[in-house]
Amino acid sequence: MSNHYESPIRNPLILGKKTFKNITNDILKPIKNKAGNLWWIALFISVLAFLWGIMCIFYTIGTGIGVWGLNKTINWAWDITNFVWWVGIGHAGTLISAVLLLFRQKWRLSINRSAEAMTIFAVIQAGLFPIIHMGRPWNAHWVLPIPNQFGTLWPNFNSPLLWDVFAISTYFSVSTVFWFMGLIPDFAMIRDRISNPFQKKIYSILSFGWGGTSKEWKRFEEISLILAGLCTPLVFSVHTIVSFDFSTSVIKGWHSTIFPPYFVAGAIFSGFAMVQTLLGVARKVLSLESYITRNHIEYMNMIILLTGGIVFLAYISEFILAWYSGSPFEKFIYFSKEAAKGPFWWAFWALIICNIIIPQFLWIRSIRRSFFWSYVIAIIINIGMWFERFDIIVLNLSHDYLPSSWTGFIPSFVDVGIFIGTIGLFFILYLLYIRTFPVISQSELKTILKPKKEDELNNK
Amino acid sequence: MNNNKDICLHVLYDDDRILLNGIKIIQCHNFCSINEVYSPFPIHNLDKILKLKKTNLSFLSFVYGSFGFCLASLLTWYIMIFDWPQNIGGKPSFSWIKNIPSFIPVIFEISIFFSAHLMCISYLIQCKLFPGFSPKNPDPRTTDNMFLIELSIKNNSEKLVNLLKENGAKEVIIKK
């Protein structure tokens, strides 16, 4: 069967005696069937959250960013925290698809499609924050190097903020293309099975006339591999460049050469936690128990454990380097004794508990292979990684070089509202996705199905 | 059967290994040629058995990436050095090569952008895939669980049909 050799000593990646037809039907089921009550309730809650967010965004744009909790000392806070958090979440999808494809990890096949979707939806949320933070979002196109009415007004290519524009937009568009190219054969499968004329028309348009010819598959495999090769450095570059927003500055606690690898590891850490969170629900709701198995959960937990370890190492390095620098201002960085007992002690300890202590439970095999505990730990990591970004930004800014301007930060309802609004939009997109898209890359998944099983079933 | 005209046969299989065996049988048979093979997923070694040409997509992606690299280099030079040089944080605004560390991220991103997007467009053009095109597969089961060989035969096809059926073909449909 195809190019896949499954070792007899390894656990199977697909449970049960599945045939090609079973896989097709399982992927088609959520698209053909009507949505359940749970789906409608989840969509309703997400729409409410989104509407609140939209209201807060309009209020911000109409009044100005003074409606946020920012002050002259802490001039970046929730907005950039959310931006970095969402970008970080957006890292796992392309990592699973691209890096694990290059490493020939077949277990990615059950989860890559949903993880890529999550990436795209998360990057959309991330992109909103810098645009809103501009205060005048109708001038957002000024960050692009396009001729304008002001003579020679060009963006500054020395600025890491402009590098961010290029990095995030390239990451978003290349990830979307990578995702869509993989979707074409699966859209064709739906096109050939669906009976509703309207749906058939839509899937016909989306499937681009795919026929599954030998030449199409040969080229498909080649572009998948090349896109994986292109996306791999892209994944690492994006959060590296996001970290440059901080590390190229002269703010204490930010001006750190360890930030790029530390941010990339942190992004993968949080991205996999979000994949666990979403797949934990999708597995149950869409009845994908045969495809998303304990092995998948365990492999993801191993990556979480590894990247969590790298993040922990980075925290220790930050602590030691701050102490070793001898600078009195470095005493107040986000990972220091002063932070642990200062006004933001709760944010500091949230980071320690969620990102360092709790993930250590994944060393225990039974927890690592438990759906329930993996889900709980993943949610805690999501929270912890939000606090990490909050600590880096707010704690470092709150004690700047001028002690007379040291101050605290209290978010306004608008700060909170916009964040919740983005969570709402993210879940709206995800819920619509699981009802209309093939949630598993069925054409690739069929390549790892053992033909013996089908033969056996046919002979019965 | 008519011995003078070309007859088109659709041979259907439900297993890719048996399909590969079927292709070898057809290739040994004179007076017939395989027009196309349709499958629900990529089959390992099929391209070698069918003697398909190596694609040029990897080379094209390199060319497109190089184009993006040149364009980004030109863009950063024109904007930051030639058109409106500014002293920003003391960084050298008079020499592109001396200020290149600032330009590497953008040059890298634009190179990847052009390489990925133009390669995908080339792929779609080469495969003749465009939004709304009618499906190429002659049988809708080929996107589900069946594998189809489309072949043309000049001679009497009965012998070949029987041979293929004996060797695992689930269905043979004769098309004119």
Side-chain angles (χ1 to χ4, degrees), chain B residues 129-141:
Chain B
L129 296 170
F130 298 100
F133 265 34
S134 43
K136 287 196 205 98
N137 49 336
D139 191 313
R141 288 174 293 173

Side-chain angles (χ1 to χ4, degrees), chain A residues 2 21 24 152 154 156-158 163 173 177 192-193 208 212 214 216-219 222 234 237 443 446, chain B residues 16 36-37 39 41 47 53 55 58 79 83 88 99 102 109 117 120 126 130 136-137 140 143-144:
Chain A
S2 187
K21 198 146 196 75
T24 306
T152 329
W154 295 113
N156 173 17
F157 281 90
N158 288 311
W163 304 345
S173 65
V177 164
D192 291 341
R193 313 267 96 69
F208 283 33
S214 50
E216 281 175 350
W217 280 124
K218 185 176 168 60
R219 291 178 186 135
E222 179 129 355
L234 198 61
S237 79
S443 59
K446 283 173 182 170
Chain B
D16 52 339
E36 193 50 89
V37 175
S39 62
F41 55 80
D47 55 333
K53 273 197 294 182
T55 76
S58 48
I79 289 175
D83 192 44
I88 296 160
N99 203 13
S102 290
E109 299 295 339
H117 287 81
C120 287
Q126 286 184 359
F130 298 100
K136 287 196 205 98
N137 49 336
T143 51
D144 180 10

Side-chain angles (χ1 to χ4, degrees), chain A residues 1-3 20-22 24-25 145 152 154-159 162-163 166-171 173-174 177-178 181 184-185 188-193 201 204-224 226-227 229-231 233-234 237-238 241 244 442-444 446-447 451-452 454-455 458, chain B residues 14-18 35-44 46-47 50 52-59 61 75-76 78-80 83-84 86 88 91 99 101-103 105-106 108-113 115-117 119-121 123-124 126-147 170:
Chain A
M1 163 62 79
S2 187
N3 55 349
F20 294 139
K21 198 146 196 75
N22 290 148
T24 306
N25 292 339
T152 329
W154 295 113
N156 173 17
F157 281 90
N158 288 311
S159 166
L162 189 73
W163 304 345
F166 282 87
I168 306 268
S169 50
T170 303
Y171 183 61
S173 65
V174 174
V177 164
F178 193 14
M181 288 296 132
I184 290 175
M189 179 279 284
I190 302 172
R191 171 201 69 199
D192 291 341
R193 313 267 96 69
K201 184 78 193 159
S204 293
I205 292 169
L206 291 171
S207 59
F208 283 33
W210 174 271
T213 65
S214 50
K215 285 194 195 80
E216 281 175 350
W217 280 124
K218 185 176 168 60
R219 291 178 186 135
F220 176 86
E221 286 199 298
E222 179 129 355
I223 63 153
S224 299
I226 301 166
L227 279 174
L230 292 172
C231 284
L234 198 61
S237 79
V238 173
I241 291 174
F244 286 165
Q442 56 89 30
S443 59
E444 286 184 280
K446 283 173 182 170
T447 63
K452 260 192 303 179
E454 188 157 64
D455 288 345
N458 289 340
Chain B
D14 65 352
D15 189 306
D16 52 339
R17 288 175 312 171
I18 305 169
N35 297 338
E36 193 50 89
V37 175
Y38 300 88
S39 62
F41 55 80
I43 301 168
H44 189 56
L46 180 65
D47 55 333
L50 291 178
L52 295 181
K53 273 197 294 182
K54 197 178 172 303
T55 76
N56 56 1
L57 286 164
S58 48
F59 173 71
S61 86
L75 188 81
T76 47
Y78 177 76
I79 289 175
M80 299 300 291
D83 192 44
W84 199 264
Q86 294 176 84
I88 296 160
K91 289 184 180 178
N99 203 13
S102 290
F103 305 145
V106 171
F108 170 77
E109 299 295 339
I110 293 179
S111 306
I112 297 279
F113 181 88
S115 179
H117 287 81
M119 182 188 64
C120 287
I121 292 169
Y123 159 74
L124 295 175
Q126 286 184 359
C127 293
K128 296 186 179 61
L129 296 170
F130 298 100
F133 265 34
S134 43
K136 287 196 205 98
N137 49 336
D139 191 313
R141 288 174 293 173
T142 58
T143 51
D144 180 10
N145 61 341
M146 297 302 267
F147 306 82
K170 290 284 164 194

